[in-house]
């Protein structure tokens, strides 16, 4: 079995789901990769990776019942001289990825990296293909929800500005994709477990190291070292908040010195194989809680245990219309009863 087999199977499931959701309609699935940013490491757009297994930036997957095509930028200079790339791969690689064709998006762009601020020439061949499909009455299935602004949303709107006729044929398939991604395979579950285990190890190591006079960023460095050593990376900016910083939900400056008697909140998560953990723990800097700190800590822990026991199919994370089945509202009521 090829390492790309799971991605090929997912694409088949997507096509089947779309045939059921839009019976009798002719259309093509179009999924967009993420773009490189010179200030930080590239991370592929999650949905694109889920259906392709490819980490090449600025590429586009196009799939209908006849063929699957990977569109790649045409670069103005040798990309492989600068970065590891598949953009200059020979056509024979397409079969390995479960695709029929690899085509250039348009005329060469400047340098070795493509950006979301594309020009019409750089995407000319791809735009012409879309326009031809629209002229034939085909739908364009995209993960496109204008109310949720993402890099992909903005890029799609950029393409629509270049060729306005394609806008009316776009169908948002976010809900269909979401339904497919909700069910995890055994391999996916294993990677989630790996991400959680790695995060637990990092927090345990931080707890052993925590003490007065250490800086928050030193705990951050230890946590992220363990992520990297395990082959992962931070799933989001690591939060290490001590003293009053522990009350700021998304505090990321991480530059305060820990003091005796403080609490320090660690909110971190490893990402391994595109699957993420997210754990939050509160530690006493001096090694033991004060009576008041212990009281509040135990109240929060009891709430967490209560919600963990309730969580089951049929509940919502947050739904004001069904407060008796909303974990958020149930947690709030539980805390209120504790004063």
């Amino acid at each position: 079995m090829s390492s790309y087999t799971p991605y090929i199977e997912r694409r088949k499931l997507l096509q089947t789901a779309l045939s059921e959701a839009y019976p009798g309609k002719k259309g093509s699935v179009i999924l967009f990769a993420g773009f490189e940013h010179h200030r930080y490491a590239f991370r592929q757009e999650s949905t694109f990776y889920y259906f392709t297994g490819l980490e090449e930036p600025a590429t586009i997957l196009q799939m209908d019942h006849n063929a699957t095509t990977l569109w790649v930028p045409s670069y103005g200079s040798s990309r492989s001289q600068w970065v590891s790339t598949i953009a200059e791969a020979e056509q024979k690689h397409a079969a390995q990825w479960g695709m029929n064709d690899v085509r250039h998006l348009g005329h060469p762009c400047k340098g070795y990296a493509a950006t979301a601020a594309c020009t019409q020439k750089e995407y000319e061949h791809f735009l012409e293909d879309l326009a031809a499909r629209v002229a034939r009455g085909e739908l364009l299935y995209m993960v496109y929800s204008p109310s949720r602004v993402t890099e992909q949303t903005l890029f799609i709107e950029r393409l629509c500005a270049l060729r306005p006729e394609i806008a009316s044929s776009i169908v948002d398939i976010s809900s269909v994709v979401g339904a497919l991604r909700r069910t995890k395979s055994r391999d996916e579950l294993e990677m989630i477990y790996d991400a959680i285990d790695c995060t637990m190890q990092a927090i345990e190591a931080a707890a052993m190291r925590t003490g007065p006079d250490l800086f928050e960023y030193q705990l951050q460095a230890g946590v992220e070292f363990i992520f990297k050593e395990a082959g992962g990376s931070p799933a989001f900016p690591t939060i290490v908040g001590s003293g009053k910083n522990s009350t700021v939900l998304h505090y990321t400056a991480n530059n305060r010195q820990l003091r005796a008697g403080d609490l320090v909140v660690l909110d971190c998560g490893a990402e391994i194989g595109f699957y993420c953990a997210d754990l939050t723990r509160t530690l006493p800097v001096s090694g033991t809680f004060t009576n008041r700190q212990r009281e509040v800590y135990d109240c929060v822990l009891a709430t967490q245990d209560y919600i963990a026991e309730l969580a089951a199919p049929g509940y919502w994370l947050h739904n004001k219309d069904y407060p008796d089945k909303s974990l958020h509202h149930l947690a709030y009521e539980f805390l209120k009863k504790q004063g």
Side-chain angles (χ1 to χ4, degrees):
M1 184 176 74
S2 165
S3 60
Y4 290 97
T5 299
Y7 308 103
I8 297 169
E9 293 302 315
R10 289 171 186 169
R11 295 200 293 269
K12 291 177 181 177
L13 289 173
L14 178 58
Q15 284 185 312
T16 300
L18 289 172
S19 296
E20 294 171 354
Y22 303 98
K25 302 290 185 181
K26 190 174 182 181
S28 57
V29 176
I30 299 165
L31 299 176
F32 300 91
F35 290 88
E36 291 167 287
H37 300 271
H38 295 300
R39 293 295 297 272
Y40 49 89
F42 172 72
R43 183 195 183 280
Q44 185 59 280
E45 199 277 329
S46 295
T47 297
F48 185 88
Y49 184 84
Y50 181 81
F51 288 108
T52 66
L54 299 177
E55 296 193 59
E56 183 74 10
T59 50
I60 299 173
L61 175 75
Q62 184 178 61
M63 175 179 64
D64 57 32
H65 286 287
N66 297 317
T68 301
T69 300
L70 184 71
W71 292 85
V72 301
S74 177
Y75 293 103
S77 63
S78 173
R79 179 169 168 78
S80 58
Q81 182 179 344
W82 296 93
V83 293
S84 176
T85 183
I86 65 167
E88 296 162 359
E90 297 178 23
Q91 197 72 20
K92 62 184 179 182
H93 288 83
Q96 176 188 347
W97 304 326
M99 299 176 191
N100 305 96
D101 199 9
V102 177
R103 298 178 61 185
H104 279 137
L105 288 161
H107 296 276
C109 56
K110 293 181 179 179
Y112 67 92
T115 70
C118 62
T119 68
Q120 187 146 354
K121 275 188 167 293
E122 291 167 355
Y123 283 77
E124 184 174 2
H125 306 328
F126 176 68
L127 288 168
E128 287 176 352
D129 182 271
L130 292 188
R133 290 173 183 272
V134 169
R136 295 194 297 266
E138 296 182 24
L139 299 176
L140 306 176
Y141 298 125
M142 302 181 186
V143 177
Y144 174 63
S145 178
S147 61
R148 183 171 175 265
V149 179
T150 65
E151 187 175 52
Q152 279 65 39
T153 302
L154 296 173
F155 181 66
I156 292 169
E157 289 175 354
R158 171 67 176 158
L159 294 179
C160 290
L162 295 174
R163 293 298 292 260
E165 68 268 35
I166 70 176
S168 60
S169 295
I170 295 175
V171 175
D172 179 27
I173 60 169
S174 299
S175 60
V176 177
V177 170
L180 288 176
R181 292 185 62 183
R182 284 181 73 166
T183 303
K184 305 299 184 190
S185 67
R186 185 180 183 88
D187 288 342
E188 289 180 285
L189 291 173
E190 289 293 341
M191 281 188 279
I192 293 171
Y193 284 131
D194 288 345
I196 294 169
D197 287 342
C198 179
T199 307
M200 289 169 60
Q201 292 172 25
I203 290 176
E204 288 168 2
M208 297 289 291
R209 189 185 182 195
T210 297
D213 301 328
L214 207 65
F215 281 88
E216 294 165 344
Y217 56 73
Q218 291 176 290
L219 284 183
Q220 176 189 357
V223 164
E224 294 180 0
F225 171 81
I226 291 175
F227 293 171
K228 200 67 178 176
E229 191 177 41
S233 59
F236 51 88
T238 300
I239 295 168
V240 184
S242 63
K244 66 179 183 180
N245 296 336
S246 67
T247 67
V248 181
L249 295 179
H250 284 176
Y251 167 80
T252 56
N254 298 350
N255 57 12
R256 180 181 180 271
Q257 194 171 29
L258 278 61
R259 298 280 184 260
D262 279 350
L263 295 178
V264 59
V265 170
L266 292 178
D267 184 351
C268 59
E271 177 178 331
I272 295 179
F274 284 80
Y275 293 86
C276 304
D278 182 351
L279 299 179
T280 305
R281 294 293 182 268
T282 300
L283 308 171
V285 172
S286 300
T288 57
F289 292 110
T290 65
N291 290 338
R292 176 59 176 161
Q293 288 170 348
R294 168 61 69 180
E295 181 184 13
V296 176
Y297 183 92
D298 285 346
C299 179
V300 174
L301 181 58
T303 308
Q304 178 171 298
D305 290 341
Y306 168 67
I307 295 301
E309 290 174 5
L310 288 177
Y315 280 79
W316 283 273
L317 292 179
H318 186 291
N319 191 325
K320 64 182 181 181
D321 296 324
Y322 297 92
D324 293 340
K325 289 286 186 177
S326 167
L327 297 181
H328 169 86
H329 290 83
L330 292 167
Y332 187 82
E333 291 302 316
F334 186 87
L335 286 167
K336 278 175 65 177
K337 290 176 182 177
Q338 316 257 335

